[in-house]
Amino acid sequence: MPFIVGPTENGHERKQQVFDELEKKSNGNRNDHGDTKSVMSTLISRKNGISATSGLINFICGMIGPGCFSLAVSFKQAGLWGGFALVFIVGFLSLYSMHKIVSCSQFLAKSNGDQSLDYGEMAEAAMLNSYKWARRHAKLSKIVVNACLLAFQLGVITVFMVFAVEHVIEIWEFIADSPPPFSKSVMILMYFVPQMLLNFIGHMKLITILCLCGNVIILAAIILITKELMVHKWYPTWELNSVTGIEGISLAAGALIYSFEGQAMVLPLENSLKHPNDMTGATGVLSTAMNLVTVLYAFLGFFGYVTFGPAVQGSLTLNLPNSVLTVSIKGLLVLKIFFGSAIQLFVIVQMLLPSLRSKISEERKIIHRFLPYALRLGLMLISLCLALVVPNLMQIIPLVGITSGLLISLILPSFLDSMVFLPVYKKQGEMFKYYQKMMINAFLFILGWLFLGSGLYSSIDDIINNDV
């Protein structure tokens, strides 16, 4: 996630949404309950917003992380041409779902003035302004969305932990010219201690700056890998699997969904743009960024697999021949991950802490003082347990992607899009748009659950059988 995700500066809370006034303002501005054309065409310009170019750079930096180095494994799991097709399918579905999230947020926000909605708030607003039966489930929808975001963030921290330890092992082997004397599980526990100490830091400005510098490290690693892919001898494509079975495709889809996951940062980014309409459109921030990222992912995945073949590891950086330069890059990646985990946890803590504090009496000052530390420790222990149970990148990444990642990126956007626009189209008498949106969203909703079921079964079976 980029730095834009998280609390606003100076600790100010996000402006509260006045959902009860939305219907009143809508009725005052138009005769029917929802005119999508008039609302969506409203142009908003913010004085302190960032430009579309800055938003594009921010979004690309947020999308391209350590997950991009695991894409070759998806090609191994799905087959060379199956993986190649799957990259573009998952990329298109991710972009389509991001557009749904932004459209829902803009429609709900503009109906009530220029309001800043995050993913959870948008879900609550969608239910409050939908069918009568849906309104009583508004709070639940916000809880479900935030729970999925929480689960995904914890999954990302777990992946970071395993990623860092596997690279530390590589560095150890290069320096000592022998494997480390500890098992991977012991090294995960050893890594957890300094990571936990860093996470106890409440002020994140220095860590954020260091993490932003980490984007340079990611770029350097991509350049090194590209150079290796271009000079290395390739496997003949006919010697590699073209397409595998449903189990392999499900695992590959999970890893790709993890890599393409950007739904959580779409609304914070859209809220920060000077012109929110720059987010959408064929040449908008979303489409431009996702097209570039998809091409990069297809390149790394395809040539990573034809270069290393069946020997490809959970991260292409682990396939790089050890030298002073490559080991230095691996060490810098570990530092990038080390500081990045602290930011991931900081976002989760800021999400949960206010609600927990509200349930504790203000007289219990000691509890209030130590609550943030206890919360950080508890969340990190969850990630630690998951890392110890699944200490392999080729298994943990698909598991995170196919569960919470799929819910955030495909299932929930389809459902919320229906809740927002179906009642509006029906009241306006636009039945063609009504049935069109209903069928598309129903198809994506069912497809998402089918992939979640098959992917979760495949991931658990892969973990139990240790088939890596």
Side-chain angles (χ1 to χ4, degrees):
M1 298 294 174
F3 67 93
I4 202 169
V5 178
T8 54
E9 291 184 5
N10 302 322
H12 290 184
E13 295 182 357
R14 186 183 299 276
K15 184 166 48 177
Q16 294 296 314
Q17 312 306 312
V18 191
F19 297 128
D20 295 338
E21 296 180 3
L22 187 145
E23 189 172 350
K24 296 178 183 178
K25 291 191 177 185
S26 298
N27 291 335
N29 292 332
R30 54 187 185 270
N31 295 328
D32 54 11
H33 283 280
D35 185 351
T36 55
K37 291 182 180 179
S38 63
V39 174
M40 297 306 289
S41 63
T42 303
L43 295 177
I44 292 176
S45 179
R46 303 181 180 120
K47 293 182 179 179
N48 299 322
I50 63 175
S51 66
T53 303
S54 298
L56 176 64
I57 295 172
N58 198 342
F59 191 74
I60 291 176
C61 288
M63 289 293 296
I64 300 176
C68 71
F69 302 130
S70 67
L71 292 162
V73 175
S74 299
F75 280 69
K76 176 183 176 181
Q77 293 166 333
L80 181 63
W81 300 113
F84 188 77
L86 202 57
V87 168
F88 291 96
I89 293 173
V90 173
F92 171 77
L93 291 176
S94 296
L95 174 60
Y96 189 59
S97 295
M98 289 177 186
H99 277 290
K100 285 181 180 295
I101 293 171
V102 173
S103 296
C104 290
S105 177
Q106 289 183 347
F107 179 79
L108 292 167
K110 289 176 183 178
S111 297
N112 195 36
D114 182 20
Q115 299 287 328
S116 298
L117 298 171
D118 63 22
Y119 203 164
E121 290 168 343
M122 186 273 285
E124 184 179 21
M127 300 296 280
L128 282 172
N129 295 278
S130 186
Y131 300 104
K132 289 184 179 180
W133 62 264
R135 293 171 189 170
R136 63 177 178 269
H137 302 298
K139 287 289 183 183
L140 177 61
S141 66
K142 182 177 181 179
I143 292 172
V144 170
V145 169
N146 286 338
C148 290
L149 291 172
L150 171 65
F152 184 78
Q153 294 284 82
L154 288 176
V156 170
I157 294 174
T158 304
V159 171
F160 280 7
M161 202 177 295
V162 177
F163 184 96
V165 168
E166 290 198 355
H167 285 74
V168 168
I169 292 174
E170 288 269 312
I171 296 170
W172 183 299
E173 291 177 347
F174 176 75
I175 296 174
D177 200 23
S178 63
F182 314 105
S183 66
K184 184 185 287 187
S185 297
V186 172
M187 294 196 70
I188 290 174
L189 290 170
M190 294 170 64
Y191 175 83
F192 174 79
V193 176
Q195 182 70 78
M196 192 66 251
L197 293 175
L198 177 68
N199 288 332
F200 280 143
I201 298 175
H203 302 284
M204 302 300 294
K205 286 187 177 180
L206 177 61
I207 293 176
T208 301
I209 293 171
L210 291 173
C211 223
L212 291 176
C213 296
N215 291 322
V216 179
I217 300 171
I218 296 290
L219 178 61
I222 291 176
I223 292 173
L224 268 179
I225 289 172
T226 301
K227 175 251 180 186
E228 185 67 24
L229 297 182
M230 293 296 100
V231 301
H232 201 283
K233 184 179 179 181
W234 296 342
Y235 279 79
T237 56
W238 57 86
E239 291 184 6
L240 302 172
N241 289 329
S242 297
V243 181
T244 59
I246 186 65
E247 182 175 351
I249 292 174
S250 298
L251 290 172
L256 287 169
I257 290 169
Y258 174 89
S259 299
F260 276 108
E261 177 55 50
Q263 278 75 6
M265 63 181 171
V266 165
L267 292 185
L269 180 61
E270 189 265 347
N271 292 332
S272 71
L273 288 177
K274 185 174 183 179
H275 302 288
N277 282 357
D278 290 340
M279 196 71 175
T280 56
T283 58
V285 171
L286 277 183
S287 297
T288 304
M290 287 298 290
N291 288 337
L292 292 173
V293 169
T294 301
V295 171
L296 175 64
Y297 283 4
F299 170 81
L300 290 174
F302 183 88
F303 286 101
Y305 186 39
V306 298
T307 298
F308 301 111
V312 68
Q313 298 190 50
S315 172
L316 285 175
T317 51
L318 297 174
N319 284 106
L320 292 176
N322 282 336
S323 64
V324 175
L325 179 60
T326 57
V327 169
S328 298
I329 292 294
K330 291 175 184 179
L332 291 173
L333 279 172
V334 172
L335 287 177
K336 150 78 174 171
I337 294 299
F338 184 69
F339 292 112
S341 295
I343 290 191
Q344 297 289 339
L345 187 70
F346 183 73
V347 173
I348 304 174
V349 170
Q350 292 301 112
M351 183 191 301
L352 297 177
L353 194 58
S355 60
L356 292 176
R357 276 181 168 161
S358 65
K359 297 178 181 179
I360 301 174
S361 174
E362 294 183 1
E363 297 177 356
R364 299 182 176 182
K365 295 182 179 180
I366 297 178
I367 296 179
H368 277 279
R369 183 178 180 180
F370 289 99
L371 181 61
Y373 301 101
L375 180 59
R376 291 186 185 109
L377 179 60
L379 293 171
M380 282 299 294
L381 286 174
I382 295 174
S383 291
L384 174 64
C385 292
L386 185 56
L388 292 173
V389 173
V390 192
N392 191 291
L393 285 175
M394 295 175 68
Q395 295 173 335
I396 186 62
I397 290 178
L399 179 63
V400 174
I402 206 67
T403 51
S404 56
L406 188 59
L407 283 165
I408 295 169
S409 62
L410 188 62
I411 296 174
L412 289 173
S414 300
F415 174 75
L416 295 174
D417 187 61
S418 296
M419 291 296 100
V420 171
F421 291 109
L422 289 186
V424 176
Y425 288 148
K426 191 170 185 179
K427 289 174 183 177
Q428 292 175 354
E430 299 184 63
M431 301 311 295
F432 175 77
K433 289 184 178 180
Y434 176 85
Y435 287 112
Q436 181 188 48
K437 185 169 286 290
M438 182 173 64
M439 288 188 291
I440 293 175
N441 285 338
F443 171 76
L444 294 176
F445 186 80
I446 295 171
L447 180 68
W449 281 111
L450 289 175
F451 259 105
L452 192 151
S454 62
L456 183 59
Y457 173 83
S458 300
S459 291
I460 294 174
D461 181 66
D462 188 44
I463 293 168
I464 292 175
N465 295 324
N466 197 29
D467 183 19
V468 298

